[in-house]
Every structure is written in structure tokens, then in C-alpha cells.
Amino acid sequence: MPSVFIKTYGCQMNVRDSEQVARDLALRGYKLTENEDHADVVLLNTCSVRDMAEQKAVSKMQTLGGRKKKGHHQVIGFLGCMAQSRGASILDELPEVDLVLGTQKFHDAARHVDALFQARQSDPGIDLRPIVDIAEEAASQNTIRDHLLAPKQVTAFVSIMQGCNMHCTFCIVPSTRGAERSRPIGDIVAEVESLVRQGVREVTLLGQIVNLYGRHEFPAVGGRSPFAQLLHAVCAVPGLDRVRFTSPHPIGFKDDLVACFRELPNLCEHVHLPLQSGSNAILKRMHRAYTREGYLRLIGKLRAAQPAIAFTTDIIVGFPGETEDDFRATCDLVREVAFDNAFVFRYSPRRNTPAATMDGQLSEEVKMERNRVLLDILDEIADARTQRLLGTEDEILVEGESRTSDARYQGRTRTNRLVLVEANERWRGQLLPVRLVESTGFTWYAEPILV
């Protein structure tokens, strides 16, 4: 059997897209491998949201190209956002690349890969003619729907839409993922039902702006937006213990969605709510369409609907024109909300985005210092939370082996805290009551509460 190695950069949607590609290749007889050195095919599913992600992908491909020049006859391909953004120009920098596949063409990956591999098999020394396929395709959102589950897998991602119409001034996603396109509710529910029949107990609904799902395609019904309708339908699937979604936008949280956290018992008490900045002036320059006051009101509404709710967020430091007062406003808001975690990014210019040419570009030294200050604040918040939660009881869904230790299994609480417990095969896939006994701030260690 030919073997394929897939490396994924970036967000959960990229992970889901890679899963679809892996499944399609498996149906064609390809074996997935964790060893890139001995793989017949190596695919990089790329991200363009930050410059660092692009640099990592280019560096990896340069390494693969160098091996290819030395006679290592692999088929190598670029998939996803970076492929969509750069297109055929990737071949100018990386001429050894065989496949450049855009974000609306994942369903064609297996066909293209197989054609390249068969050509290579017929003549190992042949210079393959690269395939570049980055065209838009109608209804491409409906092609990410199949799963290749691991044995005893109990969590799964479900892609419900593609694209974004928000056009934040720092963001390249609208040009790499296209306009918003949503799948029918019935198709999504059928996919979730199939996953549950295969043993999945928790699903995460994915979209670039997930809570704006269906706003162009489907009507509101009974005062509920399409996304609220979808949540009610998915949460009604028998045997499904937990439902999550990511990533939303603050402007998509209307009262019907807030009410879901009060009305749906299996909707987890966690919201990843991107902030980006706590300064109204910077939010306006970012084209975020909300204010710090509106963001805080939303936090209050969600906590009133579900007091146990946890919040995580994304924050950009060093956006063009960000003053010390702007940054201080962000720090103050972070302290006020007391986020459970935050992903803090130093602003990096993205091609063809308005922010890249704005006045007031800041130095890397300023960005790094503000990044450090904000991370210190988050550590202080985490330390205080640790003191409150140590010794308390919670429940995790045990997913399987920890990524860092064979002696531990990992799982998550409904509030999305990562918890490690002693490895025990009886607990795999189970909802396990635990007592929190230790924490590094964002990773927890627990003991099972055995009945």
C-alpha cells in the first residue's frame, strides 16, 4: 500500500479538512503514516492567518524539496489557505512542489494525489508536471462531511460552513476561504447521528464565523436564527453527551443564542469569544463592529444565562496605531473578564489586507513587550483560579492518551479545561468524575472519583 503523511498547520477547520483528505485517500488504498521520511506522499495543509505559520510551512517544504533533489522520490503537496493565497507563485519559490490545492478543492485532493503518484510509480525519475487547482467551486462546503475515526474515538469536528464576509482589516481569511456558505441543517444532523452510532459522544461545530451560520441561506423560525435552530437540532440527537462550537463573532450572539446556554443541557459551558482588542479606537480600525462596552454586556448576558460558563479569547497586540492607552484598555478588560485562557498574537501584516498599509506600524520590540505583559496578566488570573479550583470535583470525557505522556490519559471538562489522569483503559471514552489536585495554570492533573 502507498503511504501518505499529512501535516496540518493552524485552526480546527484545517484539522477537519485534513481528516477529509485522509479519509478519501484511505478509500483509494493509501495508508496513513506518522513517518514522513518513508512516506510516498507528503502533504502540508497550510495556514495564512499569521506570518509564522507560513514561514513554518515554507521551511518544511524546503526541507522536503531538498530531499527530493537528492533522489527521495516523494510526491509533495501544499494544501489549504497558503496554497489558495499564493497559487502557482509557490512554484517560483518551491519548484519541487507537485500539488498546490486550494481551500475549495479538498474533495479533489485524493484524485490529484493518486494521479501524481501513479505517474511517479511508472517512472521514478520523471519530473512531474505540477497540478495547481485553486478555483472556486459551488457547494464546496458540502464536501467536508465524511470521517475516518480512530478506534474508540469519542470526539469529532463537524464542519457546518465555509468562508467569511466580515473583512476585518487584519485578516486574510475572506480571500483564502471565500464568502460565507452554509450546509443544510438536515445534512449536519445526519452526519452527527452517524458519528454517534460509531461511538462519538462529543462534537464541535466548526465555521470561520460559526454563529453566523445560515444567515444568507435559511430563514429564522420561531424567533430562532439558523444557528440557534441548528444547535437545538444537534443537541436533540440521542446519545450525544456534549456539543461545542467555534469560532463565533461577538455580533452573532443575539438573545436566542444566549438562551441556548440556558435551555440545552448538553451544550457545554464554554465560549471562545475573540476580543482582539479592548480599545474602541483599535476595534474600529480593525473593523470589528462592536465596542468594549458591548463585549462586556455580552459577557454579562452569557454569565446570567449560564453562571458556570468559561471564556477563552483571541487578542492581537501591536496592531497599527495601538497606543499605550489602547493597550492598557485591553489589559484592563482582560482583568475584568478574567478569561480562562487567551491566545495572544503579535500583529503581523498579511498580504492584501488594509491593516498592512495602515500608518502607525509598531516595532517588533514593542509587540514583544506587550505580548509579555499580557501573558503575565493571564498567568496571574490563572494562578488565582488554580487556588479556587484545587480540590474541587469535575467531570471529564476521557479522550485517550496524553500527547506528552504514555502514562496518562487526557480529557476535557465541559468548561474546556484540559485534564490529565492516570492511564486506565477502562476509562477511555467515559465520562469520568475527577478531583482536581494539581495545575500548571492551564493544564490540570486529577484523580478519579471512583464509586
Side-chain angles (χ1 to χ4, degrees):
M1 293 175 65
S3 59
V4 58
F5 173 85
I6 304 176
K7 184 172 181 62
T8 305
Y9 299 86
C11 66
Q12 294 98 325
M13 291 204 72
N14 283 14
V15 172
R16 179 69 191 96
D17 294 335
S18 291
E19 290 174 350
Q20 182 72 50
V21 172
R23 185 259 186 191
D24 292 346
L25 283 166
L27 288 180
R28 286 179 174 259
Y30 286 76
K31 178 179 66 175
L32 301 179
T33 178
E34 298 297 323
N35 189 331
E36 66 179 85
D37 294 335
H38 298 112
D40 299 297
V41 178
V42 177
L43 303 175
L44 306 184
N45 191 3
T46 60
C47 174
S48 289
V49 170
R50 291 186 295 155
D51 182 57
M52 182 63 69
E54 288 200 357
Q55 289 181 24
K56 288 180 178 178
V58 168
S59 177
K60 171 62 74 173
M61 191 57 81
Q62 286 172 336
T63 300
L64 295 170
R67 292 200 329 222
K68 198 171 176 182
K69 289 178 181 178
K70 296 176 181 178
H72 202 76
H73 299 304
Q74 291 177 317
V75 173
I76 57 179
F78 254 21
L79 316 181
C81 290
M82 187 175 170
Q84 185 72 44
S85 174
R86 298 196 182 188
S89 68
I90 287 175
L91 302 176
D92 297 332
E93 183 178 358
L94 301 164
E96 290 77 27
V97 170
D98 301 307
L99 175 64
V100 179
L101 193 79
T103 56
Q104 298 186 37
K105 291 292 187 173
F106 285 110
H107 58 286
D108 282 331
R111 177 171 61 85
H112 289 320
V113 165
D114 202 40
L116 290 163
F117 177 74
Q118 296 303 330
R120 173 57 46 78
Q121 285 293 96
S122 64
D123 183 357
I126 191 175
D127 287 331
L128 296 176
R129 183 176 181 179
I131 295 174
V132 178
D133 189 356
I134 59 170
E136 292 185 6
E137 182 158 331
S140 62
Q141 73 274 17
N142 297 320
T143 63
I144 309 299
R145 63 192 178 208
D146 304 305
H147 296 259
L148 185 66
L149 298 179
K152 299 184 179 181
Q153 182 175 332
V154 291
T155 65
F157 293 133
V158 174
S159 179
I160 67 169
M161 64 182 296
Q162 292 179 353
C164 178
N165 291 1
M166 297 306 296
H167 297 285
C168 300
T169 57
F170 55 82
C171 188
I172 198 172
V173 167
S175 64
T176 61
R177 287 282 184 173
E180 292 174 13
R181 311 172 306 283
S182 298
R183 299 173 59 197
I185 289 177
D187 291 359
I188 297 167
V189 171
E191 180 179 335
V192 172
E193 289 172 339
S194 174
L195 289 168
V196 172
R197 286 194 297 270
Q198 297 174 76
V200 167
R201 304 184 69 171
E202 173 185 300
V203 297
T204 301
L205 307 180
L206 300 179
Q208 260 77 40
I209 307 291
V210 69
N211 56 339
L212 297 183
Y213 162 86
R215 61 175 174 161
H216 303 298
E217 296 93 342
F218 314 124
V221 176
R224 289 178 182 162
S225 66
F227 187 60
Q229 295 172 47
L230 176 64
L231 282 180
H232 277 265
V234 169
C235 285
V237 172
L240 185 62
D241 294 296
R242 293 179 173 187
V243 177
R244 305 182 189 274
F245 61 83
T246 199
S247 271
H249 192 292
I251 69 166
F253 273 90
K254 307 305 181 187
D255 288 346
D256 62 331
L257 180 51
V258 172
C260 287
F261 287 91
R262 181 173 58 248
E263 297 168 350
L264 301 175
N266 46 356
L267 181 60
C268 288
E269 298 88 351
H270 168 243
V271 174
H272 184 75
L273 192 63
L275 169 65
Q276 308 304 359
S277 175
S279 160
N280 284 338
I282 297 301
L283 288 172
K284 186 174 182 179
R285 285 170 70 87
M286 289 178 167
H287 195 209
R288 288 294 288 173
Y290 55 85
T291 63
R292 65 176 285 127
E293 293 80 13
Y295 188 95
L296 289 170
R297 281 194 299 272
L298 175 56
I299 293 286
K301 286 184 176 181
L302 286 164
R303 282 182 168 151
Q306 179 48 262
I309 201 165
F311 293 102
T312 54
T313 195
D314 297 327
I315 299 172
I316 296 172
V317 297
F319 189 79
E322 183 185 70
T323 65
E324 285 292 339
D325 286 343
D326 293 325
F327 177 63
R328 193 174 301 112
T330 297
C331 295
D332 291 344
L333 192 150
V334 168
R335 288 191 178 96
E336 184 171 352
V337 175
F339 290 103
D340 290 73
N341 202 351
F343 300 95
V344 181
F345 305 104
R346 301 192 302 274
Y347 170 75
S348 59
R350 303 284 73 212
R351 287 182 302 279
N352 301 319
T353 59
T357 56
M358 282 182 177
D359 294 334
Q361 302 287 331
L362 302 183
S363 69
E364 286 303 312
E365 290 76 17
V366 170
K367 295 177 191 176
M368 290 179 66
E369 175 60 15
R370 291 180 181 176
N371 187 87
R372 182 195 64 78
V373 169
L374 198 50
L375 290 178
D376 286 346
I377 292 171
L378 290 164
D379 285 341
E380 292 172 9
I381 294 170
D383 289 344
R385 181 176 295 106
T386 296
Q387 296 307 310
R388 293 198 307 272
L389 293 179
L390 278 177
T392 62
E393 298 178 4
D394 212 323
E395 180 184 75
I396 64 172
L397 176 59
V398 182
E399 299 166 5
E401 290 80 0
S402 163
R403 296 178 182 176
T404 57
S405 172
D406 292 338
R408 295 186 183 277
Y409 280 178
Q410 71 176 35
R412 290 186 181 272
T413 66
R414 289 173 60 95
T415 51
N416 207 42
R417 294 189 181 96
L418 179 64
V419 178
L420 304 183
V421 294
E422 177 187 352
N424 187 318
E425 187 62 27
R426 291 184 298 129
W427 302 336
R428 186 194 295 267
Q430 301 301 310
L431 292 169
L432 182 69
V434 296
R435 180 173 292 105
L436 304 176
V437 297
E438 188 180 346
S439 176
T440 63
F442 301 103
T443 299
W444 290 82
Y445 297 85
E447 297 173 345
I449 300 172
L450 302 180
V451 178

